Amino acid sequence: MDNYPLLNIFWTMLELFLWILWFFLLFKIITDIFRSQDLGGWAKAGWLILVILLPLIGVLVYVIARGRSMGERDIAQAQKADAAFKAYIRDAAGAAPGEEAAGEGAPGRSHVDDLAKLAELKASGAISEEEYQKAKDRLLV
């Protein structure tokens, strides 16, 4: 360790970090190639061959040519996952299996829907804090 200066340690750490970053980018692009719906089989094969055989040029060309649509696909996938998560939460917060949805509203409405509507009414000023608490207590009993 005496013959390896501190600056070389930092340089080696930077090279390692950039190497790992490069592999993350490479795998991100490869998964984007397979995930893309607007590319046919031959186009996917061509991009994959270019990215694997000439990685530096292939990755740079892919990011330049398809970077915007790559970001749009990421956003669409995130929105789809968010919608699925929210649907799961709504289903999980609804009535328990085998029970009817309780409440005074229409069949199929849950306490969560009624509480959300009460919160909206309170936020809009349609009902006071005291009316909100009474209605909430009535729902939760």
Side-chain angles (χ1 to χ4, degrees), residues 106-118:
R109 284 186 54 149
S110 67
H111 288 302
V112 176
D113 296 330
D114 293 335
L115 286 172
K117 187 168 182 170
L118 275 175

Side-chain angles (χ1 to χ4, degrees), residues 2-133:
D2 294 336
N3 60 355
Y4 202 69
L6 183 63
L7 194 57
N8 284 356
I9 293 173
F10 289 134
W11 185 252
T12 303
M13 288 172 47
L14 179 65
E15 287 175 342
L16 179 67
F17 173 74
L18 290 175
W19 188 66
I20 291 171
L21 185 68
W22 171 254
F23 276 107
F24 271 106
L25 181 61
L26 184 66
F27 292 135
K28 174 88 173 132
I29 287 176
I30 289 172
T31 56
D32 188 66
I33 289 171
F34 284 112
R35 183 177 59 183
S36 179
Q37 298 291 325
D38 60 335
L39 288 177
W42 286 107
K44 288 181 183 184
W47 276 114
L48 196 60
I49 289 170
L50 182 66
V51 167
I52 290 175
L53 293 181
L54 299 171
L56 183 61
I57 295 171
V59 166
L60 290 176
V61 169
Y62 188 84
V63 169
I64 291 169
R66 298 184 47 86
R68 181 175 305 220
S69 62
M70 186 173 160
E72 291 169 355
R73 280 188 294 280
D74 282 343
I75 290 171
Q77 183 180 10
Q79 288 172 342
K80 187 176 169 184
D82 186 49
F85 178 71
K86 286 180 180 177
Y88 170 75
I89 294 295
R90 270 192 242 89
D91 290 344
E99 289 182 7
E100 268 188 302
E104 301 154 11
R109 284 186 54 149
S110 67
H111 288 302
V112 176
D113 296 330
D114 293 335
L115 286 172
K117 187 168 182 170
L118 275 175
E120 287 175 15
L121 289 172
K122 184 181 123 189
S124 68
I127 61 174
S128 68
E129 176 69 31
E130 168 179 308
E131 293 170 324
Y132 170 75
Q133 287 300 329

